[in-house]
Amino acid sequence: MRFPLRFVTRSMLFAVGSSLLFVGLNAARAQEKLPDGAKLVKIEAQPASVTLKSPFEYAQLILIGQLETGERIDVTRMATIEKPDSLVKVTPTGQVRPLADGDGTLKFTLAGQTASVPVKVAGQKDKYPVSFIRDVMPTLSRVGCNAGTCHGAQEGKNGFKLSLRGYDPILDHRALTDDLEGRRFNRAAPDTSLMLLKTSGAVPHVGGVLMKPGEPYYELLRAWIAAGVKLDLASPRVTSVDIQPKGAVIPLPGMKQQVAVYATFADGTVRDVTAEAFIESSNTDVATTDRQGTVTAVRRGEANVMIRYEGSYTAATLVVMGDRKGFAWNQPPEYNYIDTLVYEKLRQVKVQASGVCTDGEFIRRLYLDLTGLPPQAEQVRAFIEDKRPERVKRDSLVDQLVGSPEFIDQWTNKWADLLQVNRKFLGEPGANAFRNYIREAVAKNKPYDKFVYEILTASGSNVDNPPASYYKILRDPEGTMENTTQLFLATRFNCNKCHDHPFERWTQDQYYQMSAFFAQINRVEDPKYKGQKVGGTNVEVAVPLVEDITDKKDGEVTHLRTGVVAPPKFPYTIKDLAPTTAPRREQLAHWLTSKENPYFARSYVNRLWAYLLGTGIIEPIDDIRAGNPPTNPKLLDRLTTEFIVGGFNAQQMIKTICKSRVYQHSMATTEWNRDDEINYSHAIARRLPAEVLYDAIYRATGSVSRLPGLPAGARAAQLLDSTVDVPGGFLSLFGKPPRESACECERTGSMMLGPVLALTNGPVVADAIKDPNNRIARLL
């Protein structure tokens, strides 16, 4: 009679299990205390009031204490509490759960300050309609049933498979109710259900004990089983999640900050889901998190607190301030809006900006960044001897270099990397034509949106109309879509090919819907080059040397999981759309390059910033997602707005960045910024890219370079691709990308033993030094 006894005493177990969770409540709170010498002047509660309408609803309270210094700290676990014991229970971390209907007040006291929170509880005697979508799926996720290490693994565990992180509720419901002929559930006696027996440890379970009778998750699943294990696909789904508080600052390592997570559903309702949400730190060296949503500061720095709940994601930046005694903000001069926004953030995190670099440092930095070449000695002397005001002559040099022939070569090379200009894919004529097209676009400062639109809609021979090479290089719909979204939107869609994206809102359905825009592309051999082939393309088969790219009426993409044709559909909507009668590529290009697209302009200004400052505002620079927020959101928003308003003028954006005081910071640090690596308080040393390093060696020695396929004296940035290298493999050793993907990660900047030896005794340096006509010989 074991199971009937359990059934009879379920309500008793619920009360006992609940009380065990909250034993020693005020004792647990007393373990934390205010910082030594801190004076508390006020306590605020978030939310200001609590209303609970069902047995399984709860509210995460956060108590914010304001100190005499103006600092705001989390005192949730420090305050003592007076509460109506028959009405609600409160965990040490501030989670409020209902016990019985009624009204009451929670009173919190700490250091002579108090805060009161009205509480209203209702619906405790009503039968709660447990939803598989809204309630059961988040519970299975929270206890780990559908994790990749458990039943969410590719092959499942012990013959039982669920969808990874619950992305497919239909599959999960069928697995739960149909497998083993439905023996996981006993609707007549829910407590005898295998699903509850295993998770509660009543029968052996490899996953261990996940819940016990009387605990909320057990009772929730039990109620769902008793109601008939129904699948309610019409239940509103989560549309977004939010985290509170935003912009939290923890004063000292060792202190904590409680967070609360709220989910907004399609019907407009908002629900506290802190207990079911996954809360993780992006930098555990700075801050760690636990299952209760409590963040613990480890050391001074910044970390993103990332939230995941039922396919929705968000993040918030948390600052651990650390000991900043003696810090006094010294407002630096501001050259433009960039400085205003960077210094605003520096003041918040108590970091002082360095001074500006010397004229000699500035001219070297600017030449290398804009032209990929170091300045000549006479150019440096002339600039240093220029008696005009510092800002005037520096701004003038920026204007002089942006758009210069050397600038054009440098930025052509950057785009040739991203667009995979490669003889392996295009052959000699195609690669030359594509590179010349890019060079002309850079020289004319073609607006960025028009440049991208031309590439995505190009038709005809890829030699006669070079941007059509984009579709000669990328040959299948899925690969083209992945490349396009990463390159032009900095959004990585490849992770959601086999299942919903594990770190973002993107779904598997959206992967195939986006791919469908590239399914109706026709490739026909150009008769002028008939019989000539190029091998080793992205599909690893020989294809015609030159092809005509056109749109066709047929061609679809089949969804991997469902086996159904995926219709073309954008993953997010904007108002500015092309007619649905237009070819699919035109619809895609119009949507992607629109001023309304939230990722298009944003991704490119972040890329430009990273090229010039060494670190992106979002890093990696081609990975924009909710869980990877910008270090300075206001700065990125302003840069994006200015870029759009300015007509997508890339050269103007480059000038604006280079004319800022932030770009001109010295690399010299102070005690108030030496630990800063993400807020641009000082310049960061960077290793020169492969081509720039090669050209710098020859310019410094005054030697004549001899590059394969180029005239004597040419620069490495003018090389057609990476299929040939200089003696000793210098360029590949120093990270010149092979141009086989659009990922910025193809170019590397590390210094391993091979590159070090190449600088010590490699042929590039040796040839430059022994040139009989170089600068060394002339000086001697």
Side-chain angles (χ1 to χ4, degrees), residues 250-270:
I250 302 180
L252 296 170
M255 297 184 69
K256 300 182 178 183
Q257 173 65 59
Q258 179 66 45
V259 302
V261 182
Y262 301 94
T264 300
F265 292 80
D267 61 356
T269 59
V270 178

Side-chain angles (χ1 to χ4, degrees), residues 333-346 605 609 612-613 617 632 634-636 638-640 642 652-665 679-680:
E334 296 174 358
Y335 297 176
N336 59 25
Y337 66 84
I338 289 174
D339 304 326
T340 303
L341 296 172
V342 169
Y343 295 155
E344 179 182 312
K345 171 74 182 294
L346 291 180
V605 296
W609 181 271
L612 296 169
L613 274 294
I617 304 172
N632 192 323
K634 291 182 180 179
L635 174 62
L636 186 56
R638 179 66 183 275
L639 289 169
T640 302
E642 294 292 333
Q652 184 57 51
M653 178 55 61
I654 291 170
K655 289 180 180 180
T656 299
I657 295 173
C658 292
K659 291 179 181 179
S660 69
R661 188 180 187 275
V662 170
Y663 175 80
Q664 299 174 36
H665 280 161
N679 288 309
Y680 316 106

Side-chain angles (χ1 to χ4, degrees), residues 104-170:
T105 301
L106 302 177
K107 183 179 179 180
F108 298 92
T109 304
L110 178 65
Q113 303 298 321
T114 62
S116 297
V117 179
V119 178
K120 182 177 180 64
V121 180
Q124 299 307 298
K125 297 180 181 179
D126 299 338
K127 185 176 181 180
Y128 178 70
V130 180
S131 163
F132 182 75
I133 299 294
R134 182 193 61 220
D135 301 311
V136 176
M137 292 291 287
T139 299
L140 297 179
S141 295
R142 179 65 273 182
V143 299
C145 296
N146 55 27
T149 55
C150 196
H151 299 294
Q154 186 173 2
E155 302 299 330
K157 288 287 184 181
N158 295 328
F160 178 40
K161 175 172 172 51
L162 295 171
S163 64
L164 180 64
R165 296 182 176 177
Y167 74 87
D168 190 344
I170 297 177

